[in-house]
Structures are given as C-alpha cells and as structure tokens.
Amino acid sequence: MRHEELKAGTQEVHADLLEQEGTGGKAGRTQEQEEAGREAGRSREQVGAGREAGRAEEQELRGTAAARTLLPGATIGVLGGGQLGRMMALAGSAMGYRFVALDPAADSPCGQVTPQITAAYNDREAARELARRADVITYEFENVDAGVAALLSEESYVPQGSRLLYTTQHRLREKAAIEAAGVPVAPYRKVGSLADLTAAAADLGLPCVLKTATGGYDGKGQAVIRGPEELEAAFRQVSPGAAVPELVLEKFVKFKCEISVIAARSASGEVKSFPPAENIHVNNILHLSIVPARVPEELQRRACQLAEQLVAGLDAVGLLAVEMFVTEDGELYVNELAPRPHNSGHYTMDACVTSQFEQHVRAICNLPLGDTSLLTPVVMVNVLGQHLEGAIQRIGRTDEEAERLGVAAKLHIYGKTESKTGRKMGHINLLCKDTGDALSWVEQTNLWRN
C-alpha cells in the first residue's frame, strides 16, 4: 500500500468518526451508531496494518530493516576485522555488548579483542555463520561484497541495509544521491573513454581530478590534471587496461581548507552530528584533524546542518562521514561520503562526551544517541608505519614538550601485524587548551618529518 492510499484511508476513517460522534461524544449513541463505531474501529485496525505494511515496503525499497532495539548483552557481528572494528568492539564491550568479527586475516586488529570467523569476505557460508552468531550485523568498511551484503540482509538484522553501500561504492551514484538530497557537490562529468575525458576537461576547465568510479582510497585511483598534455597519461594511469572504464572527472575546487563532519542516525530516525574537524593531508593520507576547525562558527553550523541533512535524506543508520571543501568565499562542497566510523572522527575517543564508536553502536542498536559535545580542543595526528616505533618509544618516557606546552598525548595503536611506510598503524589524540599548542607539539617532535 502506497503512502497516498494510507493517507486517504486515515482521512476517511477520521471523517467517519467525526460524523458518528458529532458534538455529543459517545453518550446517547444509537445501536446503529455503535455498530458504525465498531466498523470504524475495524477500519482503523486495517489502516494501521496497512500503515505497517507500507512502512515495511518502504524499508524494503530503501534496503534497510525495520528498527529493533537491542540492549547490552546482545551480540554485534562486524563484517571486517580492521582497526575501525577493533575500536568499535572496545567501545561496545564497555557498554556490555558482545562481538564477533569476520575477516580473512587470522590475527586481525578486531580479532585480537573479540572472537573472529576467519574467512574471505565473499565466503557465503562464513557470512551465514556470522548471521547465526550475531543479533545485529554492521560493517567497518564500505567495499563489502554486494552478494554477501544481500545475503546477510536476508538472514540477519542489518539495520544499515545494502542500499547506502550500493550508493557509496560508486562515485557517480554517490554524487547523484548527494545532489538529490539538496547538498552541493563540485561540478563533475562521467568519463568512459579518452575522448570523453578530453571533452569533459574542455567543458569543466582545468585543473581537474580524474578518479575511478569504484574503489580507491588515500589518493589511490586518481590523478590531478593541470594541462591538456596530461590528459592521456592520467587516463592510462587511472584506468590501466580497462576495456570500458568507469571514471569521474571532477573540477578542481580552489579550497581554503578541508573539513569533515561525522553524523549519526539511529534506526528509529534520531540524528546528531559531531563538531567539524579541519583535516590536513600529506601525500593524500590524512595527517592531522584539528577540532574546533579553524573556520567561522556559522560555517561550522552549516556544515553540521548539511551532514545531518544527508544522513537523514539517505536514510542512513549508524555513522556517515561527510568530507567537504571550504572555499575562500565560504562555500561548502561535499567531496566524499563514508557510511562508517572515519579516521577524521578518531578525535572523539578522548575529546567528546561520546566517541564516534560508541555512537555507532548506539545507532545500530537503536539506543538514544549520546551527547556529542566537545570537552576540550584536540588535534588528532595519524601514526603511520614510519612513525610507529618512535611513537611507542615516546610513550615510555616523560614527554617534556607536552608538559611545557600543556598538551596531553593519548596514544592508540591498532594491532596490525605488519608495519609499512604509509600504512595507518595508530593515532595520537593531543588534548590541549589551544590547538596551536598541540600543533607545536607535532612540529617539535621529529616523528613526522619523514
């Protein structure tokens, strides 16, 4: 039953009741009126059932499940065993939830702190085992096999559903969904050939950024094009050997800075967002997140409004990370979405009343969302493979720079078995009275000079 039919049915029953009861209410009604009242009651039940069927149909179309409230003691299944799953399990375990993860690595970061099913992500039997052992299932990364996501949605409770995954796994679908929610994105064009790229570049103007429509992260799968002579090389770089490539050409936005907002929406529709983080990248990898972001408060409020508009408009459940460009004239353009906890939200672990990981657990279990207030200014700095040993050694001795600057350094290590240059191995949250002091701490150590 469609929304229009339900609405019409509700209005019809309401009109019948008014006609039957008049101004005298229930007293003095005739037998015919009493029978009419009983019929109206039955109609209300039918309309109520129709409304529930309509909601169920709408949920099915959106690819999400009807809301359930899961209290501590329930088991949360995590598809993926990386650091985001690990930190989610640590936060949720403190609340009283149990966890089980599915990951192909035998000693995954999440598997070190919670039971794990060791199998490939596209292993259907392993997915069924995860469904059997969990009361609710979530994912810690968005490149989930579509077949497995659909299977889990059929055999278990997956409040995030599969529709948002389908949308955010493909940049063209993602941009169309952002625009449909009334939120601005940078001008872009679909590219399927070198001829398309040449025409799109002439249309948008250079410089531009060429990206794969699927996959790619931390700068992988993209190339900046500054002049016409770079078009062919960029095309070959981003789509090596692809017979029919799916690419996106984005106009290069001259931005003042990059910010991100983590927004949460519970299964029943409650929405809250965290304070915006100002993000600084080095070699296309997030280096620093600065909170409060160094932009006007009005712009911060507008960024939160856009993120909340998106998380509600997309019917997301759980967290949605919304990355944005801030232009010199104060305009905001959404760059990318991530339907999960996000690197730029790690500052919340020590600096907010509620962390992003606790908030995600609350959202998927349909608990009231937590307070997102910032307790203290903070700078999050990523610890990559080349920084790991130095970061660990620093924690074992008195930090004179931190004491002098009034900074408290909180180290988080992810438990990855192999440390590589450029690989995220942990992060440090620098709690401070002024973010300038935390940035001075980063500058005065030698860890991030390589």
Side-chain angles (χ1 to χ4, degrees):
M1 184 177 293
R2 296 294 176 188
H3 175 72
E4 291 78 9
E5 296 171 307
L6 292 173
K7 184 177 179 182
T10 302
Q11 290 171 337
E12 182 179 349
V13 169
H14 184 61
D16 286 345
L17 288 171
L18 288 175
E19 181 179 346
Q20 290 152 12
E21 294 190 3
T23 58
K26 192 172 181 179
R29 296 163 80 180
T30 65
Q31 184 175 357
E32 290 180 357
Q33 288 173 325
E34 289 289 343
E35 180 61 32
R38 284 192 290 273
E39 282 297 320
R42 283 191 287 271
S43 295
R44 283 199 302 274
E45 290 177 5
Q46 291 167 354
V47 169
R51 189 179 293 113
E52 288 300 319
R55 276 197 288 264
E57 181 181 19
E58 186 181 356
Q59 294 275 4
E60 183 178 351
L61 287 170
R62 291 200 312 254
T64 56
R68 304 179 197 172
T69 299
L70 296 163
L71 298 176
T75 298
I76 299 173
V78 184
L79 193 56
Q83 67 262 27
L84 300 180
R86 176 191 180 98
M87 290 183 277
M88 189 192 306
L90 290 172
S93 296
M95 300 168 67
Y97 289 95
R98 296 176 180 271
F99 284 79
V100 57
L102 170 61
D103 195 89
D107 190 32
S108 73
C110 189
Q112 294 169 15
V113 300
T114 192
Q116 177 182 319
I117 300 166
T118 304
Y121 293 129
N122 60 358
D123 186 322
R124 303 300 177 91
E125 285 308 308
R128 288 190 174 93
E129 175 65 15
L130 184 68
R132 284 192 292 269
R133 293 173 61 176
D135 298 299
V136 58
I137 290 176
T138 186
Y139 44 80
E140 62 117 34
F141 70 110
E142 59 265 48
N143 293 320
V144 178
D145 180 88
V148 168
L151 182 150
L152 289 172
S153 295
E154 291 172 3
E155 301 197 8
S156 185
Y157 175 48
V158 187
Q160 292 161 281
S162 57
R163 181 61 57 87
L164 187 56
L165 271 179
Y166 175 79
T167 299
T168 57
Q169 284 175 347
H170 195 282
R171 284 191 171 93
L172 286 167
R173 291 195 294 262
E174 180 178 273
K175 289 180 183 299
I178 294 169
E179 290 177 309
V183 175
V185 297
Y188 68 96
R189 297 290 184 272
K190 178 181 179 180
V191 170
S193 66
L194 182 56
D196 286 349
L197 175 58
T198 303
D203 188 18
L204 294 176
L206 297 176
C208 282
V209 184
L210 184 65
K211 300 179 180 180
T212 56
T214 58
Y217 63 95
D218 289 344
K220 298 177 177 64
Q222 59 182 266
V224 177
I225 303 170
R226 295 178 175 82
E229 71 281 358
E230 298 176 2
L231 289 170
E232 184 171 357
F235 183 79
R236 304 302 175 201
Q237 174 192 329
V238 176
S239 61
V244 184
E246 273 196 298
L247 307 175
V248 182
L249 186 69
E250 299 176 3
K251 184 175 180 61
F252 191 87
V253 175
K254 293 181 180 179
F255 56 88
K256 179 181 178 181
C257 65
E258 296 178 78
I259 64 173
S260 60
V261 176
I262 312 295
R265 180 176 179 271
S266 71
S268 60
E270 184 184 8
V271 172
K272 286 188 178 182
S273 59
F274 287 93
E278 178 186 348
N279 300 316
I280 296 174
H281 295 78
V282 174
N283 297 325
N284 293 311
I285 300 173
L286 182 63
H287 174 44
L288 298 169
S289 289
I290 303 165
V291 187
R294 296 173 298 183
V295 298
E297 289 186 9
E298 174 56 34
L299 194 146
Q300 293 185 44
R301 284 193 291 270
R302 186 145 45 93
C304 289
Q305 178 188 347
L306 291 179
E308 291 175 12
Q309 186 174 327
L310 275 170
V311 77
L314 295 172
D315 291 311
V317 174
L319 298 186
L320 183 69
V322 183
E323 298 180 60
M324 309 179 200
F325 294 127
V326 181
T327 66
E328 290 288 349
D329 56 359
E331 295 297 320
L332 289 170
Y333 291 97
V334 171
N335 178 32
E336 288 186 355
L337 305 178
R340 53 167 172 78
H342 194 260
N343 194 175
S344 67
H346 290 350
Y347 78 88
T348 63
M349 297 173 73
D350 298 299
C352 288
V353 175
T354 306
S355 76
Q356 66 165 340
F357 299 101
E358 178 186 337
Q359 195 78 304
H360 183 75
V361 170
R362 286 179 168 276
I364 63 171
C365 292
N366 203 33
L367 304 183
L369 296 181
D371 185 349
T372 59
S373 299
L374 189 69
L375 296 171
T376 174
V378 59
V379 171
M380 188 283 299
V381 56
N382 268 328
V383 175
L384 305 182
Q386 62 268 35
H387 313 136
L388 180 61
E389 185 58 32
I392 291 174
Q393 291 301 319
R394 284 190 71 88
I395 208 71
R397 65 176 187 266
T398 301
D399 192 330
E400 296 178 357
E401 290 90 346
E403 288 184 351
R404 178 170 49 80
L405 292 164
V407 171
K410 302 290 186 177
L411 176 65
H412 298 266
I413 298 296
Y414 301 154
K416 295 181 179 179
T417 55
E418 186 178 3
S419 178
K420 296 179 181 178
T421 297
R423 189 183 193 194
K424 295 172 185 173
M425 303 301 295
H427 69 271
I428 299 174
N429 284 332
L430 299 164
L431 311 183
C432 52
K433 293 181 179 179
D434 187 283
T435 55
D437 296 330
L439 293 171
S440 294
W441 184 91
V442 175
E443 180 64 27
Q444 290 174 24
T445 65
N446 290 318
L447 294 182
W448 291 275
R449 297 187 186 279
N450 52 13

